């Protein structure tokens, strides 16, 4: 069975989120990415493979080097999904704030 990967799998791991943040600033070789972490090079390669399969990054060969580039379009799926919940939490927090103000008035 082939597992289908999506952008949510890409961001599920903190190391992958850190890699996304690094690559959002500049393109890097696989070695340059690995230099930023205290985990093994094979572990970084596995994370990069997942990010590539999720189409969050693109890896291009340039001679012997492999250059990693962010694909921000894929992250829009996450932004769109989160936007719905941001509105929900904004409303809940506003209601909670109103409730606290009401309690404060009653206790004065």
């Amino acid at each position: 069975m082939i597992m289908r990967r999506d952008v949510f799998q890409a961001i599920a791991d903190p190391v992958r989120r850190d890699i996304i943040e690094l690559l959002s600033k500049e393109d890097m070789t696989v070695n340059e990415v690995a230099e930023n972490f205290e985990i093994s090079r094979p572990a970084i390669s596995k994370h990069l493979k997942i990010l590539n399969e999720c189409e969050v990054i693109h890896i291009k060969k340039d001679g012997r080097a492999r250059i990693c580039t962010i694909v921000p379009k894929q992250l829009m799926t996450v932004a769109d999904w989160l936007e719905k919940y941001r509105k929900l939490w904004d409303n809940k927090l506003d209601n909670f704030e109103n409730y606290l103000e009401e309690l404060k008035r009653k206790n004065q």
Side-chain angles (χ1 to χ4, degrees):
M1 177 180 202
I2 297 174
M3 185 179 204
R4 184 182 168 284
R5 299 207 186 265
D6 66 17
V7 69
F8 293 98
Q9 286 176 303
I11 65 169
D13 185 276
V15 171
R16 290 194 293 270
R17 290 192 301 268
D18 289 344
I19 291 170
I20 290 168
E21 185 171 344
L22 279 173
L23 294 176
S24 72
K25 296 173 185 154
E26 64 181 315
D27 294 352
M28 297 179 149
T29 65
V30 171
N31 288 333
E32 289 171 332
V33 172
E35 290 170 0
N36 287 278
F37 298 91
E38 293 184 14
I39 60 176
S40 70
R41 168 75 197 279
I44 291 296
S45 290
K46 186 174 180 180
H47 285 296
L48 291 171
K49 180 181 177 188
I50 292 169
L51 289 170
N52 191 49
E53 288 173 358
C54 296
E55 299 178 348
V56 172
I57 68 168
H58 175 72
I59 301 174
K60 159 181 95 167
K61 284 193 174 195
D62 185 14
R64 292 180 61 171
R66 294 184 317 148
I67 310 295
C68 304
T69 304
I70 192 90
V71 181
K73 180 182 173 189
Q74 284 301 104
L75 296 172
M76 288 305 299
T77 304
V78 176
D80 293 344
W81 183 80
L82 283 173
E83 182 61 22
K84 292 184 271 186
Y85 294 97
R86 185 191 62 80
K87 290 176 185 174
L88 172 74
W89 279 106
D90 282 349
N91 289 337
K92 291 203 177 285
L93 289 173
D94 287 345
N95 289 340
F96 184 63
E97 183 178 10
N98 292 338
Y99 173 74
L100 290 176
E101 288 296 323
E102 185 179 320
L103 283 177
K104 190 176 178 182
R105 281 192 301 269
K106 285 182 181 178
N107 288 330
Q108 287 180 352

